[in-house]
Coordinates of all heavy atoms in Angstrom, one line a residue:
Chain A
D30 N 185.2 -42.4 0.2 CA 185.1 -41.2 -0.4 C 186.4 -40.4 -0.5 O 187.3 -40.6 0.3 CB 184.1 -40.3 0.4 CG 182.7 -40.8 0.5 OD1 182.4 -41.9 -0.1 OD2 181.8 -40.2 1.1
W61 N 189.9 -34.2 -13.2 CA 188.4 -34.0 -12.9 C 188.2 -33.2 -11.7 O 187.8 -33.7 -10.6 CB 187.7 -35.3 -12.9 CG 187.9 -36.0 -14.2 CD1 188.4 -37.3 -14.4 CD2 187.7 -35.5 -15.6 NE1 188.5 -37.6 -15.7 CE2 188.1 -36.6 -16.4 CE3 187.2 -34.3 -16.1 CZ2 188.0 -36.4 -17.8 CZ3 187.1 -34.2 -17.5 CH2 187.5 -35.2 -18.3
L62 N 188.6 -31.9 -11.8 CA 188.5 -31.0 -10.6 C 187.8 -29.7 -11.1 O 188.2 -29.2 -12.2 CB 189.8 -30.7 -10.0 CG 189.7 -29.8 -8.8 CD1 189.8 -30.6 -7.5 CD2 190.8 -28.7 -8.8
A63 N 186.9 -29.2 -10.3 CA 186.3 -27.9 -10.6 C 186.6 -26.9 -9.5 O 186.8 -27.3 -8.3 CB 184.8 -28.1 -10.7
Y65 N 185.0 -23.3 -7.7 CA 183.9 -22.4 -7.6 C 184.2 -21.2 -6.8 O 185.0 -21.3 -5.9 CB 182.7 -23.1 -6.9 CG 182.2 -24.4 -7.6 CD1 182.8 -25.6 -7.4 CD2 181.2 -24.3 -8.5 CE1 182.4 -26.8 -8.0 CE2 180.7 -25.5 -9.2 CZ 181.4 -26.7 -8.9 OH 180.9 -27.8 -9.6
Q67 N 182.4 -18.3 -4.4 CA 181.1 -17.9 -3.7 C 181.3 -16.6 -2.9 O 182.2 -16.5 -2.1 CB 180.7 -19.0 -2.7 CG 179.3 -18.7 -2.1 CD 178.8 -19.8 -1.1 OE1 179.6 -20.4 -0.4 NE2 177.5 -20.0 -1.1
K71 N 175.5 -15.3 -1.7 CA 175.2 -15.7 -3.1 C 175.5 -17.2 -3.3 O 176.2 -17.8 -2.4 CB 176.1 -14.9 -4.0 CG 175.9 -13.4 -4.0 CD 174.5 -13.0 -4.4 CE 174.3 -11.5 -4.5 NZ 173.0 -11.1 -5.0
A72 N 175.0 -17.7 -4.3 CA 175.2 -19.1 -4.7 C 176.6 -19.2 -5.3 O 177.2 -18.3 -5.8 CB 174.2 -19.6 -5.7
P73 N 177.2 -20.4 -5.2 CA 178.5 -20.7 -5.8 C 178.4 -20.5 -7.4 O 177.3 -20.7 -7.9 CB 178.8 -22.1 -5.5 CG 178.0 -22.4 -4.3 CD 176.8 -21.6 -4.4
E74 N 179.5 -20.1 -8.0 CA 179.6 -20.0 -9.4 C 180.8 -20.8 -9.9 O 181.9 -20.7 -9.3 CB 179.7 -18.6 -9.9 CG 178.5 -17.7 -9.6 CD 178.6 -16.3 -10.1 OE1 179.7 -16.0 -10.8 OE2 177.7 -15.5 -10.0
L75 N 180.6 -21.6 -11.0 CA 181.6 -22.4 -11.6 C 182.6 -21.5 -12.3 O 182.3 -20.7 -13.1 CB 181.0 -23.4 -12.6 CG 182.0 -24.3 -13.3 CD1 182.7 -25.2 -12.3 CD2 181.3 -25.1 -14.3
Y78 N 186.6 -25.9 -14.8 CA 186.3 -27.3 -14.8 C 187.4 -28.1 -15.5 O 188.2 -27.5 -16.2 CB 184.9 -27.6 -15.5 CG 184.9 -27.2 -16.9 CD1 185.1 -28.1 -17.9 CD2 184.6 -25.9 -17.3 CE1 185.0 -27.8 -19.3 CE2 184.6 -25.6 -18.7 CZ 184.8 -26.5 -19.6 OH 184.8 -26.2 -21.0
A79 N 187.4 -29.4 -15.3 CA 188.5 -30.2 -15.8 C 189.9 -29.6 -15.5 O 190.7 -29.6 -16.4 CB 188.3 -30.4 -17.3
Q84 N 185.4 -21.6 -17.5 CA 184.0 -21.6 -17.7 C 183.7 -20.4 -18.6 O 184.3 -19.3 -18.3 CB 183.2 -21.6 -16.4 CG 181.7 -21.5 -16.6 CD 181.0 -22.7 -17.2 OE1 181.7 -23.7 -17.6 NE2 179.7 -22.6 -17.4
Y116 N 186.1 -22.7 -3.6 CA 186.0 -24.1 -3.3 C 186.5 -25.0 -4.4 O 186.1 -24.7 -5.6 CB 184.5 -24.5 -2.9 CG 183.9 -23.9 -1.7 CD1 183.2 -22.7 -1.8 CD2 184.1 -24.5 -0.5 CE1 182.6 -22.1 -0.7 CE2 183.5 -23.9 0.7 CZ 182.8 -22.7 0.5 OH 182.2 -22.2 1.6
Q118 N 186.3 -29.0 -6.0 CA 185.4 -30.1 -6.0 C 185.9 -31.2 -6.9 O 186.2 -30.9 -8.1 CB 183.9 -29.7 -6.4 CG 182.9 -30.9 -6.5 CD 182.3 -31.0 -7.8 OE1 181.9 -30.0 -8.5 NE2 182.1 -32.3 -8.2
Q119 N 186.0 -32.4 -6.4 CA 186.5 -33.5 -7.3 C 185.2 -34.1 -8.0 O 184.2 -34.3 -7.4 CB 187.2 -34.5 -6.6 CG 186.5 -35.4 -5.5 CD 185.7 -36.5 -6.2 OE1 186.0 -36.9 -7.3 NE2 184.8 -37.1 -5.4
A120 N 185.4 -34.3 -9.3 CA 184.4 -34.9 -10.1 C 184.8 -36.2 -10.8 O 184.3 -36.5 -11.9 CB 183.9 -33.8 -11.2
N121 N 185.8 -36.8 -10.2 CA 186.3 -38.1 -10.7 C 185.4 -39.3 -10.4 O 185.3 -40.2 -11.2 CB 187.7 -38.3 -10.2 CG 188.3 -39.5 -10.7 OD1 188.7 -39.6 -11.9 ND2 188.4 -40.6 -9.9
S122 N 184.8 -39.2 -9.2 CA 184.0 -40.4 -8.8 C 182.9 -39.9 -7.9 O 182.9 -38.8 -7.3 CB 184.9 -41.4 -8.1 OG 185.5 -40.8 -6.9
F123 N 181.9 -40.8 -7.7 CA 180.8 -40.5 -6.7 C 181.3 -40.9 -5.3 O 181.9 -42.0 -5.2 CB 179.6 -41.2 -7.1 CG 179.0 -40.7 -8.4 CD1 178.9 -41.5 -9.6 CD2 178.5 -39.4 -8.5 CE1 178.4 -41.0 -10.7 CE2 177.9 -38.9 -9.7 CZ 177.9 -39.7 -10.8
P124 N 180.8 -40.2 -4.3 CA 180.1 -38.9 -4.3 C 181.1 -37.8 -4.6 O 182.2 -37.8 -4.3 CB 179.6 -38.8 -2.9 CG 180.6 -39.4 -2.1 CD 181.1 -40.6 -2.9
P125 N 180.5 -36.7 -5.2 CA 181.4 -35.5 -5.4 C 181.7 -34.9 -4.0 O 180.8 -34.9 -3.2 CB 180.5 -34.6 -6.2 CG 179.1 -35.0 -6.0 CD 179.2 -36.5 -5.7
F127 N 183.7 -31.7 -1.9 CA 184.2 -30.3 -1.9 C 185.4 -30.1 -0.9 O 185.4 -30.7 0.1 CB 183.1 -29.3 -1.6 CG 182.0 -29.2 -2.6 CD1 180.9 -30.0 -2.5 CD2 182.1 -28.3 -3.6 CE1 179.9 -29.9 -3.5 CE2 181.1 -28.2 -4.6 CZ 180.0 -29.0 -4.5
P129 N 187.3 -27.6 1.8 CA 186.7 -26.7 2.9 C 186.6 -25.3 2.6 O 185.9 -24.5 3.3 CB 187.6 -27.0 4.1 CG 188.9 -27.3 3.4 CD 188.6 -28.1 2.2
Chain B
H36 N 171.6 -31.8 -9.1 CA 172.1 -32.1 -7.8 C 171.4 -31.2 -6.8 O 170.9 -30.1 -7.1 CB 173.6 -31.8 -7.7 CG 174.5 -32.6 -8.6 ND1 175.3 -33.6 -8.2 CD2 174.7 -32.5 -10.0 CE1 176.0 -34.1 -9.2 NE2 175.6 -33.4 -10.3
V38 N 172.8 -29.6 -3.2 CA 174.0 -29.3 -2.4 C 173.5 -28.4 -1.3 O 172.8 -27.5 -1.5 CB 175.1 -28.6 -3.3 CG1 176.3 -28.2 -2.4 CG2 175.5 -29.5 -4.4
Q40 N 174.5 -26.1 2.5 CA 175.5 -25.3 3.2 C 175.0 -24.9 4.5 O 174.1 -24.1 4.6 CB 175.9 -24.1 2.3 CG 177.1 -23.3 2.9 CD 177.6 -22.3 1.9 OE1 176.8 -21.7 1.1 NE2 178.9 -22.1 1.9
K44 N 179.3 -22.6 7.2 CA 180.1 -23.7 6.8 C 180.3 -23.8 5.3 O 179.8 -23.0 4.5 CB 179.5 -25.0 7.3 CG 179.3 -25.0 8.8 CD 180.5 -24.9 9.6 CE 180.3 -25.1 11.1 NZ 181.6 -24.9 11.9
G45 N 181.0 -24.9 4.9 CA 181.3 -25.1 3.5 C 180.1 -25.8 2.8 O 179.1 -26.1 3.3
L46 N 180.4 -26.2 1.5 CA 179.4 -26.9 0.7 C 179.5 -28.4 0.9 O 180.5 -29.0 1.0 CB 179.8 -26.6 -0.8 CG 179.8 -25.1 -1.2 CD1 180.3 -25.0 -2.6 CD2 178.4 -24.5 -1.1
E47 N 178.3 -29.0 1.0 CA 178.1 -30.4 1.2 C 177.2 -31.0 0.2 O 176.0 -30.6 0.1 CB 177.6 -30.8 2.6 CG 177.5 -32.3 2.9 CD 176.7 -32.6 4.1 OE1 176.1 -31.7 4.7 OE2 176.8 -33.8 4.5
W48 N 177.7 -31.9 -0.6 CA 176.8 -32.5 -1.6 C 175.8 -33.4 -1.0 O 176.1 -34.1 0.0 CB 177.6 -33.3 -2.6 CG 176.8 -34.1 -3.6 CD1 176.2 -33.6 -4.7 CD2 176.5 -35.5 -3.5 NE1 175.6 -34.6 -5.4 CE2 175.7 -35.8 -4.7 CE3 176.8 -36.5 -2.6 CZ2 175.3 -37.1 -4.9 CZ3 176.4 -37.8 -2.9 CH2 175.6 -38.0 -4.0
R51 N 172.1 -36.6 -6.2 CA 172.1 -36.4 -7.7 C 171.1 -37.3 -8.3 O 170.9 -38.5 -7.9 CB 173.5 -36.7 -8.2 CG 173.6 -36.7 -9.8 CD 174.9 -37.3 -10.2 NE 175.2 -37.1 -11.7 CZ 175.0 -38.0 -12.6 NH1 174.4 -39.2 -12.3 NH2 175.3 -37.7 -13.9
I62 N 171.6 -41.1 -6.6 CA 172.6 -41.4 -5.5 C 172.5 -40.4 -4.4 O 172.0 -39.3 -4.6 CB 174.1 -41.4 -6.1 CG1 174.4 -40.1 -6.8 CG2 174.3 -42.6 -7.0 CD1 175.9 -40.0 -7.2
Y63 N 173.0 -40.8 -3.3 CA 172.8 -40.0 -2.1 C 174.1 -40.0 -1.2 O 174.9 -40.9 -1.2 CB 171.7 -40.5 -1.2 CG 170.3 -40.5 -1.8 CD1 169.9 -41.6 -2.6 CD2 169.5 -39.4 -1.8 CE1 168.7 -41.7 -3.2 CE2 168.3 -39.4 -2.4 CZ 167.9 -40.5 -3.1 OH 166.6 -40.5 -3.7
A64 N 174.3 -38.9 -0.5 CA 175.3 -38.8 0.5 C 174.9 -39.8 1.6 O 173.7 -40.0 1.9 CB 175.5 -37.4 1.0
D65 N 175.9 -40.3 2.3 CA 175.7 -41.3 3.4 C 174.8 -40.6 4.5 O 174.0 -41.3 5.1 CB 177.0 -41.7 4.0 CG 177.8 -42.7 3.1 OD1 177.2 -43.2 2.2 OD2 179.0 -42.9 3.4
Y98 N 170.8 -25.8 -2.1 CA 170.9 -25.3 -3.4 C 170.5 -26.5 -4.4 O 171.0 -27.6 -4.1 CB 172.3 -24.9 -3.8 CG 172.8 -23.7 -3.1 CD1 173.7 -23.8 -2.0 CD2 172.4 -22.4 -3.5 CE1 174.2 -22.6 -1.4 CE2 172.9 -21.2 -2.8 CZ 173.8 -21.4 -1.8 OH 174.3 -20.3 -1.2
E102 N 174.1 -30.0 -13.6 CA 175.4 -30.6 -14.0 C 175.7 -30.0 -15.4 O 174.8 -29.7 -16.2 CB 175.3 -32.1 -14.1 CG 176.6 -32.8 -14.0 CD 176.3 -34.3 -13.8 OE1 176.2 -34.7 -12.6 OE2 176.3 -35.0 -14.7
S103 N 177.0 -29.8 -15.7 CA 177.4 -29.1 -16.9 C 177.1 -29.8 -18.2 O 177.1 -29.2 -19.2 CB 178.9 -28.9 -16.8 OG 179.2 -28.0 -15.8
Y106 N 179.1 -35.3 -15.7 CA 179.5 -35.3 -14.2 C 180.9 -34.8 -14.1 O 181.3 -34.1 -13.1 CB 179.4 -36.7 -13.6 CG 179.9 -36.7 -12.2 CD1 179.1 -36.2 -11.2 CD2 181.1 -37.4 -11.9 CE1 179.6 -36.3 -9.9 CE2 181.6 -37.4 -10.6 CZ 180.8 -36.9 -9.6 OH 181.3 -36.9 -8.3
L107 N 181.8 -35.1 -15.1 CA 183.2 -34.7 -15.0 C 183.5 -33.2 -15.0 O 184.6 -32.8 -14.6 CB 183.9 -35.4 -16.1 CG 183.8 -36.9 -16.2 CD1 184.5 -37.4 -17.5 CD2 184.5 -37.6 -15.0
W108 N 182.5 -32.4 -15.4 CA 182.7 -31.0 -15.7 C 182.1 -30.1 -14.6 O 182.1 -28.9 -14.8 CB 182.2 -30.6 -17.0 CG 182.8 -31.4 -18.2 CD1 184.0 -32.0 -18.2 CD2 182.3 -31.6 -19.4 NE1 184.3 -32.6 -19.4 CE2 183.2 -32.3 -20.2 CE3 181.1 -31.2 -20.1 CZ2 183.0 -32.7 -21.5 CZ3 180.8 -31.6 -21.4 CH2 181.8 -32.4 -22.1
G109 N 181.6 -30.7 -13.5 CA 181.1 -29.9 -12.4 C 179.7 -29.4 -12.6 O 179.0 -29.9 -13.5
M110 N 179.3 -28.4 -11.8 CA 177.9 -27.9 -11.8 C 177.9 -26.4 -12.3 O 178.5 -25.6 -11.6 CB 177.3 -28.0 -10.4 CG 177.4 -29.4 -9.8 SD 177.0 -29.5 -8.1 CE 178.0 -30.9 -7.6
D111 N 177.3 -26.2 -13.4 CA 177.5 -24.9 -14.0 C 176.4 -23.8 -13.7 O 176.6 -22.7 -14.0 CB 177.7 -25.0 -15.5 CG 176.5 -25.6 -16.2 OD1 175.6 -26.1 -15.6 OD2 176.4 -25.5 -17.5
W113 N 173.5 -22.7 -10.6 CA 173.0 -22.9 -9.3 C 171.8 -22.0 -9.0 O 171.8 -20.9 -9.6 CB 174.1 -22.6 -8.3 CG 175.3 -23.5 -8.3 CD1 176.2 -23.6 -9.3 CD2 175.8 -24.3 -7.3 NE1 177.2 -24.5 -9.0 CE2 177.0 -24.9 -7.7 CE3 175.4 -24.6 -6.0 CZ2 177.7 -25.8 -6.9 CZ3 176.1 -25.4 -5.2 CH2 177.3 -26.1 -5.7
G114 N 170.9 -22.5 -8.2 CA 169.8 -21.6 -7.8 C 170.3 -20.7 -6.7 O 171.5 -20.8 -6.2
Q115 N 169.4 -19.9 -6.1 CA 169.7 -19.0 -5.1 C 169.6 -19.7 -3.7 O 170.1 -19.1 -2.7 CB 168.8 -17.8 -5.1 CG 167.5 -17.9 -4.4 CD 166.5 -18.8 -5.1 OE1 166.7 -19.2 -6.3 NE2 165.4 -19.1 -4.5

Side-chain angles (χ1 to χ4, degrees):
Chain A
D30 298 359
W61 304 122
L62 184 95
Y65 301 87
Q67 186 178 34
K71 300 294 186 181
E74 294 186 1
L75 180 64
Y78 64 95
Q84 175 68 2
Y116 295 93
Q118 176 236 322
Q119 68 82 15
N121 181 73
S122 62
F123 293 113
F127 292 89
Chain B
H36 299 254
V38 177
Q40 188 168 34
K44 301 299 184 182
L46 301 170
E47 180 190 14
W48 175 79
R51 174 190 189 262
I62 55 172
Y63 299 91
D65 288 346
Y98 294 104
E102 204 167 272
S103 293
Y106 174 74
L107 301 172
W108 300 338
M110 305 170 208
D111 64 346
W113 295 62
Q115 85 290 348

